[in-house]
Amino acid sequence: MELYNLKHPSQVVSFTQALKQGLGKDRGLFFPTSIPVLDDVDSLLALPFVARCQKILGAWLASELGQDTVDRLVEKAFNFELSLAKVDDNRHCLELFHGPTLAFKDFGARFMAQCLNELAADDKINILTATSGDTGAAVADAFFGLDKIKVVVLYPKGKISLLQEKMFTTLGDNIHTVAVESDFDACQALVKRAFEDSDIRDGLHLNSANSINISRLLAQICYYFEAVAQFKRQHDQDPVISVPSGNFGNLTAGLFAQAMGLPVKRFIAATNSNDTVPRYLEKGDWLPNATVGTMSNAMDVAEPSNWPRVEAIIEKMNWSLADISGVALSEADTSTALKQLNDAGYLSEPHAAIAAQALNMTMTPGEKGIFLGTAHPAKFKDVVDRELGMNLPLPPELAAVADKAILSVTLDNSFAELKAHLFKVL
């Protein structure tokens, strides 16, 4: 597999190089030189999940890694279920929260961890990543206890739910967590600046584990195929898919799946009040506002770093950005959407509620759709309890960390402070 740097197309790397490096020159994202198109998608959709994932990822990676290696990586990474739950006659939720940290990020983080463990076993690896909530837990769980890999996770202090925070800040060992006195965009900017600093990047053998790493995006392609496979068993039509969107890695993976041949009628990019992309799709001007804190905090991203990949896919496939619907919901609309789902008999959380409402707002008569359930409702217990007037019980994964002490250090939004901290702990 060959990938090139979107900012510097002359920089071409293999998958293994992109996996280890994370970002290219000048923080450029790596993008595949070609997108494999799958033969006989109908037969592929009939396969069991793991077997199908092995074929999907083999189409990308077997030429470099060998199919046997791909099969082994997939089998180790994807060892939990996912289900398509019917909400009403026209909408289904793809529940992506049945993994160890109860969020969709488990798919990408676990596959990346298996890849690094296999392909960089003799290298010293230090991972620096930023999270707006669920990435931190998924990455920490996936890499916890691996001898040759250390992880530093930055997150915006006070801007993620307490239970989200405790899932990755209570581990210790090779997992180091930093609460930054700012928002997620500032955390992301610190990570990107660290990759520009040769002392840190080269001296600490730095890598990134958020959705800028191509290994995570490839893994996420797989669950779109599973969504459509389950949908097609019930409906003889192609679904509209609504994606709750923050950093836009999820939508990028969905578009890769469609480019590979997955039958999807269209995608909806659903956001909260941080509506840079819906405004851009409507008016054509890229004008990020300051990040706004919302109850759907994992989507509190004003400058999504994966958007250049979205546009690169559109260009490569000769599609139009007009084919993507952009929907932004206010806090009041999010609250209403969450209550409407509950009234329909489906308990959810604010991110999925936004995607569900976006389906309602944009589906035309005769269309049916899927929205992505990216996290277990209990990860947002404070919001769900407040908005729905309940006391949501904790699943075992969250109950186990609820009373544990947070081990994070707190830093100002200062690159100098971060640099000194990295050299101290890595």
Side-chain angles (χ1 to χ4, degrees):
M1 179 183 182
E2 280 193 343
L3 304 104
Y4 68 95
N5 181 338
L6 286 174
K7 287 187 176 180
H8 296 277
S10 61
Q11 184 185 13
V12 179
V13 298
S14 67
F15 169 76
T16 302
Q17 289 171 303
L19 168 73
K20 295 178 182 180
Q21 198 170 330
L23 283 168
K25 181 182 178 182
D26 291 336
R27 300 186 300 187
L29 299 172
F30 288 121
F31 189 84
T33 56
S34 63
I35 299 174
V37 177
L38 298 168
D39 296 326
D40 196 1
V41 172
D42 288 341
S43 295
L44 191 69
L45 293 177
L47 292 175
F49 176 62
V50 170
R52 185 191 313 116
C53 293
Q54 289 168 335
K55 288 186 177 294
I56 292 167
L57 292 174
W60 292 93
L61 301 175
S63 61
E64 180 179 335
L65 307 183
Q67 187 64 50
D68 288 346
T69 297
V70 174
D71 290 350
R72 185 169 61 253
L73 295 173
V74 169
E75 192 168 3
K76 289 180 179 179
F78 300 156
N79 58 358
F80 49 91
E81 67 174 17
L82 67 166
S83 60
L84 189 70
K86 183 177 179 180
V87 175
D88 54 39
D89 288 342
N90 296 318
R91 295 180 301 169
H92 299 71
C93 179
L94 181 67
E95 295 183 341
L96 298 170
F97 47 76
H98 297 294
T101 71
L102 308 179
F104 79 102
K105 301 294 181 82
D106 284 323
F107 289 89
R110 288 175 65 81
F111 184 69
M112 180 183 176
Q114 292 301 324
C115 288
L116 279 174
N117 204 41
E118 175 94 17
L119 305 175
D122 296 327
D123 299 337
K124 177 184 176 183
I125 298 288
N126 289 315
I127 289 173
L128 174 65
T129 194
T131 184
S132 55
D134 290 324
T135 290
V139 168
D141 179 82
F143 288 93
F144 179 61
L146 295 183
D147 292 339
K148 296 184 179 180
I149 301 177
K150 292 183 179 180
V151 177
V152 177
V153 182
L154 309 187
Y155 65 98
K157 185 176 181 179
K159 293 183 171 65
I160 66 175
S161 77
L162 180 60
L163 288 171
Q164 273 184 314
E165 185 178 8
K166 287 202 170 188
M167 285 203 83
F168 66 93
T169 62
T170 60
L171 294 171
D173 193 42
N174 63 322
I175 308 298
H176 305 273
T177 53
V178 178
V180 177
E181 297 275 16
S182 192
D183 56 30
F184 172 73
D185 288 304
C187 295
Q188 188 162 254
L190 287 171
V191 170
K192 289 181 176 180
R193 189 170 173 187
F195 277 91
E196 291 179 334
D197 187 299
S198 59
D199 291 342
I200 298 175
R201 183 188 64 242
D202 301 331
L204 295 178
H205 306 277
L206 210 60
N207 199 328
S208 176
N210 70 6
S211 56
I212 60 177
N213 193 294
I214 193 66
S215 63
R216 284 193 46 187
L217 288 180
L218 295 184
Q220 290 175 247
I221 292 170
C222 295
Y223 54 67
Y224 283 96
F225 278 84
E226 179 66 13
V228 174
Q230 293 192 35
F231 182 87
K232 288 282 195 178
R233 292 169 198 156
Q234 304 176 51
H235 307 288
D236 186 24
Q237 63 185 91
D238 298 341
V240 178
I241 300 182
S242 181
V243 184
S245 301
N247 216 20
F248 277 81
N250 223 339
L251 181 60
T252 302
L255 292 171
F256 273 136
Q258 187 178 30
M260 294 180 76
L262 184 67
V264 177
K265 186 167 185 182
R266 60 185 171 86
F267 282 98
I268 302 169
T271 75
N272 56 26
S273 301
N274 296 283
D275 60 349
T276 303
V277 168
R279 286 187 290 109
Y280 175 65
L281 292 173
E282 179 184 2
K283 299 179 180 179
D285 297 319
W286 187 263
L287 297 172
N289 295 323
T291 306
V292 178
T294 72
M295 70 177 80
S296 52
N297 58 50
M299 294 156 58
D300 290 350
V301 183
E303 298 191 54
S305 62
N306 270 296
W307 188 254
R309 282 180 170 140
V310 171
E311 297 208 334
I313 297 171
I314 298 295
E315 181 180 359
K316 181 177 281 289
M317 301 302 296
N318 292 315
W319 295 340
S320 170
L321 279 174
D323 295 333
I324 301 173
S325 304
V327 176
L329 263 65
S330 67
E331 285 291 85
D333 290 338
T334 302
S335 176
T336 298
L338 189 60
K339 292 171 183 174
Q340 287 176 345
L341 277 179
N342 192 55
D343 290 342
Y346 188 74
L347 178 64
S348 190
E349 48 76 40
H351 306 78
I354 288 173
Q357 183 64 11
L359 269 179
N360 271 349
M361 294 167 64
T362 62
M363 280 194 303
T364 59
E367 288 186 329
K368 296 182 184 296
I370 299 167
F371 63 92
L372 270 56
T374 51
H376 191 288
K379 293 195 80 170
F380 299 91
K381 175 177 168 58
D382 53 345
V383 173
V384 173
D385 284 356
R386 182 189 72 227
E387 297 297 322
L388 300 182
M390 62 171 56
N391 183 14
L392 186 64
L394 294 181
E397 295 88 347
L398 291 174
V401 301
D403 295 326
K404 288 188 175 182
I406 291 172
L407 304 177
S408 302
V409 301
T410 298
L411 298 180
D412 290 332
N413 180 18
S414 162
F415 181 69
E417 285 191 29
L418 175 63
K419 184 172 182 176
H421 182 70
L422 291 176
F423 276 98
K424 178 180 178 181
V425 301
L426 296 179

